[in-house]
Amino acid sequence: MKPELHSKILLVDDETSVLRALSRVLTYAGYQVVTSSCPKDALAMIKTQTFDVIIADYRMPEMNGVAFLRKSRPHQPFACHFILSGDADIDDVIECMNDDVAERFLRKPWDNKRLLDEVSIGVEKRHKNHLLSVMMNNQLQKQHPNESAGFSVITSSTANGSQAHSSQKNELLERLKSAIFEDEFSLVYQPKVCAKTGRIVGLESLLRWTSADYGSVSPEIFIPVAEEGDFIQGIGEWVLRETARFQMRWQAFTLLDGFKLAFNVSPKQLHDDKFVDVVKALIAEGNLVPENLCVEITESAAIEDFDGCCKQLKRLEKLGIEVAIDDFGTGHTAINYLLNLPAQVVKIDRSLIAGVDSEEKCYNVVKNLVSMAQSIGMKVVAEGIEVSQHALCLRDMGCEELQGYHYSKPLAEEPLLKVLAQQPYLF
């Protein structure tokens, strides 16, 4: 059975003979094929068209396939990305796949049957994630209504589009509610590093959902759906109890002086009195050590319902739990908010860190934020530390803790043990 013609493949290779051969096989199989011998032209295409599968050759003179796919992914996040290469580049290709730049590898010369099997898998993956692309586009349009999201979706401005979007959102919510927590949900942990010593002084736990139907689903997509569908409390309680189990398993590390295990709390979860009640119960049962916990809430959540937020945070403060304001610097938090919030930590948002080592204005803004927070007795954590220059700049500013891929990506428990054994980090 041939695929439907709306299954669309983009081929990018500087060799026209390769493009013709691949295109012939895929077109005969029923796919709609678009080709480009120039990576820059192909990048322009992906900003205006949606593709199920993108195949890029590794060796291209103007821009290699890894660089191209890395630039492609933000515009086509749910397309299946292939890297095409000969055996000579196999080490680079494996590294490319380990970094999630590409999901699949096609070897030159290719076998036509294997090529079609691999592409079929990629198309199936894209179709399963169509719902997720719709929801991501809707979310981006809410945040940036005057900008193009970069890929086509059902238009919600029409009655049919709106109904389809609502139906798809309800479908995702039902899948969330039917998910088996222990099988589909998991926590990963990203280290926080002392800027002076390079030692790990805390961890932030991050929720992941691997759906049996959709595969890996971004929290940016399913958390808003869970909040709107009043299911966030169930997910939040599971995260809290799993955090308690982790803390008990890792007492040798998490009970060190000053070591903090942080977890995120959504606005809707925070304003539910049952949340703090569950925290109190776990502490009373001896399953949580409050002195080694940190609750992270976003800056926007803190100022959206300032009085209600303060009430709940004070309850947590009385239990001995540290509170951190996440995404700091992206909202409109005035100094009087910080003075009155029962919080001890601010986390400078990653969007401000990107240019701190190369842009004077960015450097000065971040330096002033660090000074302001510290002047009222708050500890400062910088997230989004990607390179050593970021770490050095923030350390010189006096920032206490650093977090980001320069040190470690979020890890499951087993690889996290290896990272803890290899510290301290060197700048």
Side-chain angles (χ1 to χ4, degrees):
M1 182 177 177
K2 290 188 177 183
E4 297 178 28
L5 281 176
H6 69 255
S7 297
K8 202 171 186 181
I9 316 296
L10 173 64
L11 306 177
V12 187
D13 196 310
D14 62 309
E15 295 184 43
T16 55
S17 60
V18 172
L19 288 178
R20 282 198 299 267
L22 283 171
S23 181
R24 185 167 54 247
V25 175
L26 292 168
T27 301
Y28 182 78
Y31 292 104
Q32 182 180 353
V33 179
V34 177
T35 64
S36 176
S37 59
C38 173
K40 287 186 178 179
D41 290 345
L43 285 174
M45 289 181 193
I46 66 171
K47 294 178 182 179
T48 58
Q49 302 180 52
T50 301
F51 296 98
D52 297 289
V53 171
I54 298 173
I55 302 174
D57 185 41
Y58 177 76
R59 287 184 178 271
M60 293 185 285
E62 185 179 322
M63 179 191 303
N64 70 30
V66 175
F68 169 78
L69 292 179
R70 201 182 296 277
K71 291 182 179 182
S72 161
R73 188 171 288 280
H75 301 284
Q76 303 276 338
F78 299 113
C80 194
H81 292 72
F82 287 61
I83 192 80
L84 175 66
S85 180
D87 290 332
D89 305 309
I90 192 67
D91 290 340
D92 292 329
V93 168
I94 291 173
E95 184 177 351
C96 158
M97 296 179 71
N98 287 339
D99 288 343
D100 294 327
V101 176
E103 290 95 338
R104 310 191 81 81
F105 166 52
L106 286 176
R107 179 180 278 107
K108 287 183 178 180
W110 60 86
D111 173 82
N112 285 350
K113 182 180 182 305
R114 181 172 181 270
L115 166 66
L116 293 175
D117 287 343
E118 291 285 336
V119 169
S120 176
I121 292 170
V123 168
E124 183 181 359
K125 171 184 179 292
R126 176 63 179 87
H127 287 177
K128 279 186 176 181
N129 285 332
H130 177 68
L131 164 64
L132 305 183
S133 68
V134 171
M135 297 190 64
M136 176 65 83
N137 186 63
N138 184 67
Q139 185 180 359
L140 289 174
Q141 285 179 338
K142 285 181 179 179
Q143 294 172 351
H144 308 287
N146 297 321
E147 296 179 13
S148 169
F151 47 91
S152 61
V153 297
I154 298 172
T155 305
S156 59
S157 60
T158 66
N160 290 338
S162 180
Q163 289 172 3
H165 177 74
S166 177
S167 173
Q168 291 167 334
K169 188 161 59 174
N170 289 336
E171 180 186 343
L172 184 61
L173 178 60
E174 290 306 311
R175 299 293 173 89
L176 266 172
K177 289 182 176 179
S178 64
I180 302 172
F181 281 114
E182 286 72 16
D183 291 341
E184 296 190 23
F185 288 94
S186 62
L187 293 181
V188 291
Y189 305 88
Q190 188 170 34
K192 296 179 182 178
V193 176
C194 175
K196 290 183 178 179
T197 66
R199 298 198 66 82
I200 296 173
V201 292
L203 299 170
E204 179 183 1
S205 66
L206 299 163
L207 179 63
R208 297 291 183 262
W209 179 32
T210 304
S211 165
D213 300 292
Y214 299 126
S216 180
V217 186
S218 168
E220 293 180 354
I221 295 173
F222 74 79
I223 292 296
V225 173
E227 285 195 312
E228 188 175 335
D230 290 326
F231 189 56
I232 193 64
Q233 288 86 349
I235 293 176
E237 184 169 338
W238 181 86
V239 169
L240 186 57
R241 294 187 181 279
E242 185 57 36
T243 297
R245 286 190 284 268
F246 176 87
Q247 193 179 60
M248 291 300 100
R249 290 195 298 269
W250 284 61
Q251 288 189 54
F253 293 105
T254 59
L255 296 186
L256 293 174
D257 289 342
F259 196 101
K260 298 288 184 180
L261 178 58
F263 61 99
N264 296 276
V265 178
S266 76
K268 199 162 189 176
Q269 184 186 2
L270 179 65
H271 295 304
D272 183 353
D273 288 336
K274 292 180 182 178
F275 163 68
V276 180
D277 292 339
V278 172
V279 174
K280 289 176 67 176
L282 287 170
I283 292 173
E285 294 165 7
N287 293 323
L288 276 178
V289 181
E291 295 80 11
N292 296 97
L293 286 178
C294 177
V295 169
E296 295 191 6
I297 63 167
T298 62
E299 179 183 8
S300 57
I303 62 177
E304 188 174 307
D305 179 8
F306 184 75
D307 292 337
C309 182
C310 283
K311 175 188 172 184
Q312 294 295 71
L313 294 183
K314 284 177 181 176
R315 293 182 67 195
L316 293 172
E317 188 180 40
K318 286 181 180 178
L319 296 173
I321 296 173
E322 185 177 78
V323 175
I325 306 301
D326 200 4
D327 300 338
F328 184 70
T330 59
H332 305 283
T333 305
I335 187 69
N336 62 303
Y337 280 112
L338 284 183
L339 287 170
N340 291 288
L341 268 174
Q344 299 77 43
V345 181
V346 294
K347 295 186 71 178
I348 298 178
D349 188 72
R350 66 183 66 249
S351 64
L352 298 174
I353 301 301
V356 75
D357 61 322
S358 57
E359 300 173 22
E360 185 177 359
K361 286 184 179 179
C362 182
Y363 178 91
N364 290 334
V365 167
V366 174
K367 186 175 182 179
N368 287 333
L369 285 175
V370 172
S371 299
M372 181 185 71
Q374 291 177 336
S375 69
I376 57 175
M378 301 187 80
K379 181 171 69 178
V380 180
V381 180
E383 53 186 350
I385 304 296
E386 303 292 341
V387 294
S388 60
Q389 289 90 332
H390 292 165
L392 291 170
C393 283
L394 271 296
R395 184 190 65 179
D396 292 344
M397 290 178 190
C399 182
E400 287 92 344
E401 294 179 13
L402 309 173
Q403 183 180 5
Y405 273 47
H406 173 61
Y407 298 106
S408 173
K409 64 182 181 181
L411 300 168
E413 290 189 47
E414 186 175 342
L416 182 60
L417 271 173
K418 296 178 182 178
V419 169
L420 286 167
Q422 292 170 358
Q423 60 172 315
Y425 291 97
L426 300 176
F427 287 94

